[in-house]
């Protein structure tokens, strides 16, 4: 090029047309490249592109190769929070927003910090671009305000224990608000709820006291159940023992009765045999009395403290004879005394 310019300055008339021809071809090539860049658009999968013609919405370019009218058609660029400025393709896949911790005041005036995750998806790209200037920023701000509204009506204990209800209420609020933006909020999850340190320490002490109370209640309940079970066991044991003693007494009585019957039968047989044997040799009753008398004397001798006087069996008959004689003598003496009293007194001799 410097050589051509030098030749042109020297006045060589043959070089100028060649230089102009090369410059024209170079310019045409640049223009064709610009036209091709403005005409051919390749849209990635699961993405769309909004095409405007002379500043007005014309159509939605789907994924793949798309031909635009140069200098008339232009892709619409979006400027959303947390996205690359001037982005022309709109992602139709489900996306998420990780919100940083936000201060929230509960109904009992406790300031807590809550961070959450919002899952959302563009269902109508035309509404998402033309109905809302900053779609992502609007979702973030709507989530923060909805979270404060939901948790502001709840106590601290409820916010910590009812996360599923909080997630459901937030999803309904966001879904209703973003429906006109062409966005579907699929899920809202509260990740962390961080109360202040003093409140957290107080809650830990409260939980420790509550667990101690539950342990004592469970222990007392266990002891009560154990005492009831033990008393029921003792009752059943006493009933079973009484039933056993009753059966044992019944069996013992039945056994004693059977034994007495057997003894009586045996004794009757023995007396019958003794009587039949002593029919011609004496009185069987006297024999039996004498036998029992001897057995009684034997039992009396077994006592260490008893003073026993041994008397022969004939003593009773002898005593009976002595008694009879005593009665006879008494009667005789009585008669003589009565006769003497009836006789007249003797005469006195002068």
């Amino acid at each position: 090029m410097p050589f051509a310019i030098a030749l042109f300055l020297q006045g060589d008339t043959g070089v100028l047309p060649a230089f102009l021809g090369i410059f024209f071809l170079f310019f045409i090539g640049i223009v064709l490249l610009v036209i091709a860049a403005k005409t051919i658009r390749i849209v990635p999968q699961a993405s769309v592109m909004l095409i405007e013609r002379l500043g007005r919405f014309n159509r939605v370019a789907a994924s793949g190769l798309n031909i635009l009218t140069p200098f008339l058609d232009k892709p619409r660029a979006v400027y959303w929070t947390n996205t690359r400025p001037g982005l022309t393709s709109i992602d139709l896949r489900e996306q998420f927003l990780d919100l940083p911790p936000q201060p929230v005041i509960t109904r009992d005036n406790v300031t807590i910090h809550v961070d959450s995750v919002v899952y959302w998806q563009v269902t109508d790209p035309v509404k998402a671009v033309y109905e809302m200037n900053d779609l992502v920023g609007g979702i973030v701000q709507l989530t923060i305000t909805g979270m404060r509204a939901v948790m502001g009506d709840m106590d601290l204990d409820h916010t910590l224990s009812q996360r599923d209800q909080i997630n459901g209420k937030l999803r309904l609020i966001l879904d209703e608000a973003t429906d006109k933006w062409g966005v579907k909020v699929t899920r809202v999850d509260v990740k962390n709820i961080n109360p202040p340190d003093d409140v957290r320490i107080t809650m830990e002490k409260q939980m420790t006291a509550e667990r101690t109370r539950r342990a004592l209640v469970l222990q007392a309940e266990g002891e009560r159940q154990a005492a009831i079970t033990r008393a029921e066991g003792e009752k059943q044991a006493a009933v079973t023992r009484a039933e056993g003693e009753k059966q044992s007494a019944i069996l013992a009585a039945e056994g004693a009765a059977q034994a007495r019957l057997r003894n009586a039968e045996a004794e009757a047989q023995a007396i019958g045999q003794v009587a039949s044997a002593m029919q011609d040799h004496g009185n069987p009753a006297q024999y039996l009395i004498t036998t029992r008398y001897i057995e009684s004397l034997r039992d009396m001798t077994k006592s260490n403290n008893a003073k026993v006087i041994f008397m022969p069996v004939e003593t009773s008959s002898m005593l009976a004879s002595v008694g009879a004689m005593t009665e006879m003598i008494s009667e005789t003496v009585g008669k003589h005394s009565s006769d003497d009293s009836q006789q007249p007194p003797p005469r006195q001799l002068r």
Side-chain angles (χ1 to χ4, degrees):
M1 182 67 68
F3 179 72
I5 294 174
L7 292 176
F8 175 73
L9 293 175
Q10 291 178 0
D12 192 354
T13 58
V15 178
L16 181 59
F19 175 75
L20 293 176
I22 295 172
F23 182 76
F24 179 75
L25 293 175
F26 180 74
F27 178 76
I28 294 299
I30 293 176
V31 171
L32 290 177
L33 290 176
V34 171
I35 293 174
K38 291 182 174 295
T39 302
I40 300 173
R41 293 285 181 171
I42 298 176
V43 181
Q45 181 67 30
S47 298
V48 294
M49 184 179 296
L50 302 183
I51 306 301
E52 294 180 345
R53 177 168 293 178
L54 299 178
R56 186 176 181 179
F57 173 74
N58 180 258
R59 71 180 187 276
V60 177
S63 59
L65 180 63
N66 292 272
I67 304 299
L68 307 182
T69 302
F71 303 107
L72 296 179
D73 295 341
K74 178 182 178 182
R76 174 62 185 265
V78 295
Y79 299 89
W80 295 343
T81 303
N82 297 329
T83 58
R84 181 172 58 84
L87 183 66
T88 56
S89 61
I90 300 174
D91 197 346
L92 299 180
R93 295 174 297 177
E94 187 173 359
Q95 306 178 53
F96 71 93
L97 292 174
D98 189 0
L99 276 69
Q102 302 293 327
V104 178
I105 300 176
T106 60
R107 187 171 60 182
D108 48 357
N109 295 326
V110 178
T111 302
I112 58 178
H113 290 79
V114 183
D115 56 341
S116 58
V117 180
V118 180
Y119 297 88
W120 58 282
Q121 185 178 11
V122 176
T123 57
D124 190 345
V126 177
K127 292 183 178 180
V129 173
Y130 293 105
E131 296 292 336
M132 184 64 181
N133 182 24
D134 188 355
L135 180 63
V136 178
I139 295 175
V140 170
Q141 296 300 322
L142 189 61
T143 303
I144 294 174
T145 56
M147 185 182 302
R148 290 176 178 174
V150 171
M151 292 188 175
D153 293 335
M154 304 173 66
D155 296 333
L156 178 61
D157 295 337
H158 293 166
T159 58
L160 296 175
S161 60
Q162 298 180 1
R163 294 194 179 187
D164 292 338
Q165 295 183 5
I166 295 174
N167 296 336
K169 290 181 180 179
L170 282 176
R171 191 189 64 81
L172 290 177
I173 292 174
L174 295 178
D175 196 20
E176 292 177 358
T178 57
D179 182 63
K180 64 179 182 179
W181 299 345
V183 175
K184 174 69 176 178
V185 176
T186 58
R187 186 177 178 84
V188 179
D189 289 332
V190 176
K191 293 198 304 182
N192 296 314
I193 299 177
N194 300 320
D197 293 338
D198 54 348
V199 176
R200 181 178 55 81
I201 294 173
T202 303
M203 293 176 62
E204 291 177 355
K205 292 181 179 179
Q206 182 180 0
M207 290 302 300
T208 302
E210 181 66 20
R211 288 170 182 165
T212 303
R213 185 187 67 82
R214 290 179 183 176
L216 293 176
V217 170
L218 291 177
Q219 182 178 0
E221 185 67 20
E223 292 177 354
R224 185 178 71 86
Q225 291 294 334
I228 293 174
T229 304
R230 187 162 48 251
E232 290 180 353
E234 293 176 354
K235 175 184 175 182
Q236 293 295 331
V239 171
T240 304
R241 186 164 51 250
E243 187 69 22
E245 292 177 355
K246 174 184 175 182
Q247 294 295 331
S248 177
I250 292 173
L251 293 176
E254 291 178 354
Q258 293 292 333
R260 292 185 65 183
L261 290 175
R262 295 292 179 88
N263 291 331
E265 292 176 357
E267 188 173 359
Q269 292 179 1
I271 293 173
Q273 291 180 1
V274 170
S276 62
M278 295 186 66
Q279 285 180 359
D280 300 331
H281 300 283
N283 188 5
Q286 186 66 29
Y287 170 76
L288 293 174
I289 292 172
T290 304
T291 304
R292 294 294 177 89
Y293 176 75
I294 294 172
E295 291 177 355
S296 299
L297 290 178
R298 183 186 61 191
D299 294 336
M300 292 171 64
T301 57
K302 293 181 180 180
S303 176
N304 296 326
N305 298 325
K307 295 180 179 179
V308 183
I309 299 175
F310 294 94
M311 297 177 66
V313 68
E314 292 83 1
T315 305
S316 61
S317 61
M318 183 181 68
L319 292 175
S321 300
V322 172
M325 293 175 63
T326 304
E327 291 179 358
M328 291 175 63
I329 292 171
S330 299
E331 290 178 357
T332 303
V333 173
K335 288 181 179 182
H336 285 292
S337 60
S338 62
D339 293 339
D340 292 339
S341 61
Q342 290 177 1
Q343 291 180 0
R347 293 179 180 179
Q348 295 181 358
L349 297 179
R350 292 180 180 179

